[in-house]
Amino acid sequence: MASLPFSATSFHSTFICFNYKARNPNLFFLKKGSSFTFSRRKFIIKSVASDQRQDLKEEGQITEEASLDTFVPDSASIASSIKYHSEFTPSFAPDHFELPKAFKATAESVRDSLIINWNATYAYYEKINVKQAYYLSMEYLQGRALLNAIGNLELTGAYAEALKKLGHNLEDVAREEPDAALGNGGLGRLASCFLDSLATLNYPAWGYGLRYKYGLFKQYITKDGQEEVAENWLEMGNPWEIVRNDVSYPVKFYGEVISGPEGIKEWVGGEDITAVAYDVPIPGYKTKTTINLRLWSTKVAPEKFDLSAFNAGDHAKAYSAMNNAEKICYILYPGDESLEGKTLRLKQQYTLCSASLQDIIARYERRLGEFLNWEIFPEKVAVQMNDTHPTLCIPELIRILIDVKGLSWEQAWNITQRTVAYTNHTVLPEALEKWSLELMEKLLPRHVEIIKMIDEELVQTIIDEYGTEDLDLLQEKLKQMRILDNIELPESVVEMIAKPEKSSVEAIESTEEDDVSDEETEPTAEEDELEEEEIEEKNEVPPIIEPYPKLPKLVRMANLCVAGGYAVNGVAEIHSEIVKNEVFNDFYEMWPEKFQNKTNGVTPRRWIRFCNPDLSKIITKWTGSEDWVVNTEKLLTLRKFADNEDLQSEWREAKQRNKVKVASFLREKTGYIVNPDAMFDVQVKRIHEYKRQLLNIMGIVYRYKKMKEMSHEERKASFAPRVCIFGGKAFATYVQAKRIVKFITDVGATVNHDPEIGDLLKVVFVPDYNVSVAEMLIPGSELSQHISTAGMEASGTSNMKFAMNGCILIGTLDGANVEIRQEVGEDNFFLFGAEAHEIAGLRKERAEGKFVPDPRFEEVKSYVRSGVFGPYNYEELMGSLEGNEGYGRADYFLVGKDFPSYIECQDKVDEAYRDQKRWTKMSILNTAGSYKFSSDRTIHEYARDIWRIDPVVLP
């Protein structure tokens, strides 16, 4: 059944009865200190789910009123299922049941349960033909799936007991799972939280992405700083995915566009590849709804393998087409410094868009059958573009509707504008993608034709809005709003602008009656020439159509998103205001109804319930139930108990247990031994100059220098003990970010081995930061740093996770920090730094040479340059904070400006931490105030305001 993500009727593997152990109690045995042995003859295998249901009924496990769908397996049946998979779906040697094999068999056992709900979910959606949302993202930072899946299925206890019977601990088995390397930062983690919430809230939806073979990279920290190697997350297979060889679509690159009869366009020739679906079921919490994340992998047809070239010894030529196809899904964000890198990135983006839309359209056609009506397509389909990476959805949908389905331009454009929506995630200019028109014309020639038509529609709309009387205003609007940058205006528009108005011609052809004599006179030759010049002046094409030959011709993807979509949203209140008032202000003035805010959120299941069981039990006890896991407003109940000594005592004990786990983890990963009684101060996120890890580490250097200048007694009196923890990846070609990583590790190497300082200060960089590391660090964190230059962080989501877990934030008024501070209370948030509206003025002040750095900031730079942290030359890093202008200089991110405010705020942190009663109350109020930042709330808003879809509860 192609309509389903996975069909039991077409599944050629076998089902095993969940409770067959009742009939085979001696199916296998364990010997203490050794691996188990199987007795294969005693396995009873059922081929279809209906047989399984019948067997369960016969044995009294389910009644006539119940069904297999509602049957909840116990630990015995789960143990039998795990044993079955270790025997019959082996990835390891058959005679051992060690941890890697235990994980694989356990995951496959869980997947059996997911498949039943998964098929039921989409079968029901097909049956009732409900409108569905399709979320397209280049990243999904899933993290480990095992504990999340069994937690959502409410089987954690049963699986723990089953594995205990089999000689293993659930936590040990879960640690065998590698993180899925499908994302990098907040963009991908948000997408994964959204899928969890969509399933939990029973919204009909799909996720679409790419199946990266090597992810971004695995990060090692050496004496030279960050080093990158290919991620090996798929080395032992992925038990959660199911390859769908029956679901594949052709994707084309290069070639040419030819015109057929009646102007029909056909894209022919070029390079053809195939996108194949890999499906990953995403279960909801305490619901049967299980939605699908469909990931595309790329290959070519077997006939593309050049057998004659291979036999002739030209192996490179033989494999050429295969390699070109497969490398599309090798790496997340391949380096784009070269033309080849840019081409590969564009191929990735188009593959995601083309395969996903073909799949969406095929499903739509199948559902409507003989009643197919393209006009109602937007009433059944909502496509959400997560950032600008999936922008090619817009011209691709138009291409399919016109070239393949035979619709007119007007129909296709109208349908597209009612189907596609865009989430903006950044105000950074370099992240608002601009692609070379020349590259795009070569790679996607038909799409460039369509983009030019969209641009022409947009230009016409702008002219209709603003007219042609004020050409300076029109020029400015076109400069800011056009999709095509530095490209001549369409001919139709040039003619319209250049065409003289009737009144102008009449003014030239005649003169005022009272200025001429009654006698008719023939114009002289000079008068004739003057008149022609005046007419030419009136007809002169305005300078706005003239491109600059020395500048590149570009396609502005963000502008295409705004023009082609029906909704544009930011991801925090302050970010959405910047989007409306700065980034897309001209569009907002023309289409205010398109713009919305959808403040991000994170799933409370993964980010409290599962990763922090100690705190979860306390919350459940003091709020009276577990309702808070799906209704986070219940967390507000904690506010009335914030001063309660019993709650505070329990709260501190839970935090301390988590800190002990973190200390053990840090020792294992880095070799550093830290004191769990010290404050755990954490900054974990992508390494980027705007996120200002540099401000943090320079603050630490200042702290260290002051400590060194004091006696032992003065140090203890002046500073609360701290463990400063960093984590995050610098992009492989981002040199400055990699310098920051090196600097942090050098500071740590010096500070951590200084006997004078001891446990008063430690600096630890955790290598290869990912979701699983976050799940360990966040519950044990006490202070979390979200210190980006104001106005540059769209939202952030790690700030929400930290607040949920009772961690207090230090930060600027940026992104979601603004709303977090409002909800947790100003007294429970450490605020410093310039505000967003001041940033432009401060940069201007710097450019004019008016900035005077604080003496403490100069002191730190000199200290770094003195070589105290080793022989590495930090001149480039320190130099970036100096000067008044120039690329990579002039402290663009205002580290020096905010430094005094930052270190003074850190003094307030020390003061607060010394009063543990006050600190604990602040911690409780952070968890209570985090109620708003659940992705459930965010998804409700998307569903109501953008996608216009309703929950569908399975019968």
Side-chain angles (χ1 to χ4, degrees):
M1 288 165 49
S3 64
L4 299 182
F6 183 82
S7 172
T9 59
S10 63
F11 182 29
H12 299 299
S13 295
T14 53
F15 271 86
I16 186 69
C17 184
F18 245 126
N19 70 334
Y20 65 72
K21 188 179 178 186
R23 287 173 290 181
N24 297 279
N26 299 315
L27 197 59
F28 92 163
F29 60 90
L30 290 171
K31 290 183 180 180
K32 191 172 183 180
S34 65
S35 58
F36 64 70
T37 303
F38 289 102
S39 175
R40 299 184 187 217
R41 292 170 298 175
K42 295 184 179 181
F43 276 101
I44 297 176
I45 302 168
K46 298 295 178 183
S47 60
V48 294
S50 59
D51 287 350
Q52 184 178 18
R53 179 184 287 107
Q54 186 59 41
D55 288 347
L56 292 169
K57 284 182 180 179
E58 289 173 0
E59 297 178 11
Q61 295 294 320
I62 58 175
T63 64
E64 291 294 332
E65 291 78 19
S67 71
L68 182 64
D69 295 338
T70 58
F71 169 67
V72 179
D74 59 14
S75 61
S77 61
I78 287 171
S80 295
S81 174
I82 293 171
K83 288 185 288 186
Y84 161 72
H85 280 292
S86 66
E87 175 77 0
F88 286 95
T89 53
S91 299
F92 300 87
D95 56 340
H96 295 292
F97 192 67
E98 295 172 349
L99 281 172
K101 184 173 186 177
F103 160 67
K104 194 76 179 294
T106 302
E108 286 162 341
S109 166
V110 177
R111 194 183 69 180
D112 287 349
S113 296
L114 297 182
I115 286 172
I116 296 170
N117 290 342
W118 190 33
N119 283 330
T121 298
Y122 286 107
Y124 191 60
Y125 293 168
E126 297 274 322
K127 179 181 178 182
I128 65 175
N129 192 19
V130 66
K131 182 177 184 180
Q132 299 181 46
Y134 299 91
Y135 198 81
L136 272 64
S137 178
M138 287 294 283
E139 293 188 47
Y140 288 92
L141 202 56
Q142 293 288 92
R144 293 169 176 161
L146 178 58
L147 293 181
N148 191 74
I150 62 175
N152 279 1
L153 291 168
E154 299 181 86
L155 293 175
T156 302
Y159 267 90
E161 188 177 340
L163 284 166
K164 189 175 181 180
K165 293 176 181 177
L166 302 178
H168 287 299
N169 178 278
L170 174 59
E171 286 72 25
D172 293 337
V173 170
R175 278 195 289 270
E176 289 296 310
E177 180 177 3
D179 275 39
L182 299 171
N184 175 36
L187 183 82
R189 185 53 237 169
L190 180 77
S192 295
C193 283
F194 278 4
L195 294 185
D196 178 272
S197 287
L198 283 163
T200 297
L201 301 174
N202 301 301
Y203 282 113
W206 293 65
Y208 282 102
L210 296 181
R211 181 181 179 268
Y212 303 107
K213 186 174 182 179
Y214 301 116
L216 187 71
F217 57 79
K218 182 182 282 289
Q219 180 195 53
Y220 289 108
I221 300 298
T222 70
K223 61 181 179 60
D224 298 316
Q226 171 180 297
E227 292 188 8
E228 308 92 20
V229 298
E231 177 63 76
N232 61 348
W233 75 286
L234 287 172
E235 186 176 28
M236 303 306 294
N238 179 9
W240 305 108
E241 68 182 15
I242 297 174
V243 59
R244 295 298 309 274
N245 290 309
D246 60 322
V247 180
S248 62
Y249 297 97
V251 178
K252 183 184 290 295
F253 306 111
Y254 303 108
E256 61 179 339
V257 180
I258 59 175
S259 295
E262 300 180 3
I264 295 174
K265 298 291 184 78
E266 185 179 3
W267 184 15
V268 298
E271 176 185 317
D272 297 304
I273 67 164
T274 301
V276 180
Y278 284 72
D279 286 348
V280 180
I282 308 295
Y285 179 71
K286 292 188 176 183
T287 175
K288 287 199 297 184
T289 299
T290 301
I291 64 172
N292 193 30
L293 170 59
R294 178 157 284 177
L295 303 171
W296 300 107
S297 188
T298 45
K299 66 176 187 178
V300 291
E303 56 267 25
K304 295 290 184 179
F305 177 72
D306 193 335
L307 188 60
S308 59
F310 187 85
N311 288 331
D314 192 349
H315 297 165
K317 180 182 178 184
Y319 278 109
S320 176
M322 295 175 66
N323 290 340
N324 283 338
E326 290 174 1
K327 72 181 180 182
I328 291 172
C329 290
Y330 273 177
I331 298 290
L332 169 66
Y333 302 141
D336 59 354
E337 303 296 314
S338 64
L339 176 61
E340 291 78 8
K342 289 181 174 67
T343 302
L344 187 55
R345 279 209 192 189
L346 194 55
K347 280 186 171 183
Q348 287 183 333
Q349 295 186 6
Y350 179 60
T351 298
L352 169 63
C353 295
S354 181
S356 302
L357 282 171
Q358 289 182 72
D359 194 44
I360 292 166
I361 288 171
R363 193 173 304 111
Y364 174 76
E365 291 179 313
R366 188 166 56 245
R367 279 156 50 197
L368 268 69
E370 61 185 78
F371 302 104
L372 184 65
N373 177 2
W374 289 108
E375 286 302 315
I376 65 168
F377 185 77
E379 297 171 24
K380 298 296 181 182
V381 171
V383 175
Q384 188 71 36
M385 301 182 296
N386 192 30
D387 215 345
T388 54
H389 308 126
T391 305
L392 290 168
C393 280
I394 294 168
E396 175 67 358
L397 179 54
I398 293 172
R399 182 193 71 82
I400 294 172
L401 292 176
I402 294 176
D403 297 357
V404 181
K405 305 304 176 183
L407 275 64
S408 68
W409 160 259
E410 289 75 15
Q411 289 174 306
W413 178 229
N414 178 268
I415 290 168
T416 300
Q417 283 190 300
R418 293 187 291 128
T419 301
V420 179
Y422 162 52
T423 298
N424 174 273
H425 282 279
T426 184
V427 300
L428 295 176
E430 65 268 23
L432 293 170
E433 291 183 296
K434 297 179 182 179
W435 285 101
S436 160
L437 180 68
E438 182 182 5
L439 169 60
M440 195 173 281
E441 282 178 323
K442 289 179 181 177
L443 194 70
L444 303 168
R446 178 59 177 140
H447 295 77
V448 170
E449 290 185 350
I450 293 169
I451 289 169
K452 287 181 176 178
M453 295 170 73
I454 297 172
D455 184 66
E456 186 171 349
E457 289 274 351
L458 176 59
V459 169
Q460 183 62 61
T461 302
I462 294 168
I463 292 173
D464 290 344
E465 179 76 15
Y466 295 101
T468 58
E469 293 180 2
D470 187 342
L471 288 181
D472 288 336
L473 174 64
L474 183 59
Q475 177 173 345
E476 183 60 29
K477 293 297 178 183
L478 292 175
K479 179 181 177 183
Q480 296 298 326
M481 299 175 71
R482 283 194 67 191
I483 296 163
L484 301 176
D485 186 23
N486 197 39
I487 296 170
E488 60 277 357
L489 285 169
E491 288 184 13
S492 60
V493 176
V494 173
E495 291 173 3
M496 182 175 60
I497 296 176
K499 185 177 180 180
E501 296 181 9
K502 186 176 181 181
S503 58
S504 300
V505 176
E506 289 173 350
I508 294 168
E509 289 179 345
S510 62
T511 58
E512 296 287 342
E513 287 185 12
D514 51 356
D515 287 342
V516 297
S517 63
D518 292 335
E519 187 179 348
E520 291 289 333
T521 58
E522 287 290 324
T524 65
E526 287 180 355
E527 289 172 330
D528 237 353
E529 190 176 329
L530 181 61
E531 184 177 317
E532 287 175 9
E533 286 176 1
E534 287 175 341
I535 292 174
E536 283 177 10
E537 232 175 78
K538 291 288 183 182
N539 285 334
E540 187 180 84
V541 176
I544 52 176
I545 68 164
E546 294 296 331
Y548 296 94
K550 292 184 179 180
L551 294 177
K553 297 182 177 183
L554 301 171
V555 181
R556 298 192 282 198
M557 306 303 270
N559 288 20
L560 178 54
C561 287
V562 179
Y566 66 89
V568 180
N569 72 278
V571 290
E573 286 180 0
I574 186 174
H575 171 238
S576 294
E577 290 304 305
I578 293 171
V579 165
K580 291 190 296 186
N581 298 327
E582 297 178 28
V583 181
F584 298 124
N585 180 249
D586 296 288
F587 287 104
Y588 175 65
E589 289 180 352
M590 192 163 72
W591 294 317
E593 70 282 354
K594 278 193 182 189
F595 289 80
Q596 301 184 24
N597 173 61
K598 296 287 172 279
T599 298
N600 283 343
V602 299
T603 167
R605 270 75 63 186
R606 182 180 287 268
W607 293 110
I608 309 184
R609 179 66 181 82
F610 302 146
C611 78
N612 198 344
D614 285 345
L615 189 65
S616 296
K617 291 172 185 174
I618 295 170
I619 294 171
T620 297
K621 173 184 174 181
W622 288 85
T623 60
S625 74
E626 277 200 344
D627 290 351
W628 63 269
V629 180
V630 288
N631 181 7
T632 51
E633 287 191 1
K634 299 286 186 181
L635 293 174
L636 287 168
T637 305
L638 294 171
R639 284 182 176 169
K640 64 183 179 182
F641 301 117
D643 287 308
N644 185 288
E645 290 186 3
D646 291 337
L647 173 57
Q648 288 197 2
S649 177
E650 293 174 22
W651 201 269
R652 279 194 296 270
E653 288 171 7
K655 180 65 74 172
Q656 188 66 19
R657 285 193 292 272
N658 286 324
K659 289 173 68 178
V660 170
K661 293 177 185 177
V662 171
S664 176
F665 173 79
L666 294 179
R667 183 173 186 176
E668 176 191 344
K669 292 296 181 183
T670 70
Y672 287 130
I673 299 172
V674 302
N675 181 5
D677 292 328
M679 180 202 304
F680 280 18
D681 171 352
V682 181
Q683 187 179 18
V684 283
K685 52 185 73 224
R686 282 187 304 120
I687 309 297
H688 197 293
E689 287 174 280
Y690 90 82
K691 293 180 183 288
R692 298 203 295 190
Q693 286 90 352
L694 185 54
L695 175 60
N696 186 350
I697 191 62
M698 291 190 76
I700 291 169
V701 170
Y702 179 78
R703 188 182 188 89
Y704 176 65
K705 185 175 185 296
K706 294 296 122 182
M707 285 181 177
K708 294 290 286 181
E709 294 167 356
M710 295 178 180
S711 67
H712 176 71
E713 291 73 20
E714 288 173 329
R715 281 196 289 269
K716 288 190 68 174
S718 301
F719 298 101
R722 283 205 203 193
V723 177
C724 300
I725 302 168
F726 292 84
K729 295 179 180 180
F731 191 64
T733 58
Y734 191 173
V735 175
Q736 191 75 328
K738 294 177 80 170
R739 286 188 183 121
I740 293 170
V741 173
K742 169 66 173 165
F743 184 34
I744 293 168
T745 57
D746 280 353
V747 171
T750 299
V751 171
N752 299 346
H753 294 99
D754 190 330
E756 287 186 350
I757 303 303
D759 286 341
L760 204 54
L761 181 64
K762 297 292 184 185
V763 180
V764 183
F765 192 101
V766 181
D768 206 39
Y769 178 67
N770 57 23
V771 174
S772 296
V773 174
E775 289 172 325
M776 173 62 68
L777 292 180
I778 290 173
S781 300
E782 294 174 288
L783 180 74
S784 181
Q785 307 222 17
H786 303 274
I787 57 178
S788 52
T789 311
M792 302 200 74
E793 183 75 84
S795 167
T797 51
S798 65
N799 46 6
M800 302 170 184
K801 299 164 196 168
F802 281 102
M804 276 186 176
N805 284 271
C807 184
I808 301 159
L809 275 55
I810 179 172
T812 52
L813 283 179
D814 195 28
N817 283 1
V818 177
E819 292 161 78
I820 291 174
R821 183 168 176 261
Q822 289 170 354
E823 298 299 334
V824 305
E826 295 180 5
D827 293 339
N828 305 305
F829 184 107
F830 294 106
L831 177 67
F832 76 95
E835 297 185 28
H837 67 272
E838 301 176 287
I839 301 303
L842 290 169
R843 287 180 177 145
K844 183 174 182 291
E845 177 185 276
R846 183 75 183 235
E848 293 170 352
K850 296 177 182 177
F851 172 68
V852 178
D854 187 277
R856 292 167 292 185
F857 186 61
E858 296 300 285
E859 182 183 349
V860 170
K861 287 190 297 177
S862 297
Y863 194 56
V864 173
R865 284 174 163 136
S866 72
V868 68
F869 301 114
Y872 185 84
N873 185 353
Y874 283 108
E875 189 56 42
E876 288 291 336
L877 189 59
M878 295 298 105
S880 70
L881 305 172
E882 298 172 339
N884 296 320
E885 58 185 354
Y887 179 75
R889 296 183 70 84
D891 193 13
Y892 183 77
F893 300 99
L894 304 182
V895 174
K897 175 64 181 178
D898 280 350
F899 184 80
S901 175
Y902 176 70
I903 60 173
E904 288 160 12
C905 190
Q906 288 285 14
D907 290 339
K908 296 176 184 176
V909 172
D910 275 7
E911 179 186 352
Y913 193 73
R914 288 193 185 93
D915 183 349
Q916 278 294 295
K917 182 175 177 62
R918 175 191 169 193
W919 187 273
T920 305
K921 179 179 180 180
M922 294 170 71
S923 176
I924 294 168
L925 290 173
N926 265 265
T927 298
S930 70
Y931 75 95
K932 174 182 175 180
F933 304 102
S934 166
S935 51
D936 295 351
R937 185 264 314 150
T938 313
I939 284 300
H940 272 310
E941 292 177 4
Y942 272 98
R944 180 192 64 210
D945 303 334
I946 297 180
W947 304 329
R948 302 182 185 99
I949 59 174
D950 297 311
V952 175
V953 179
L954 272 62

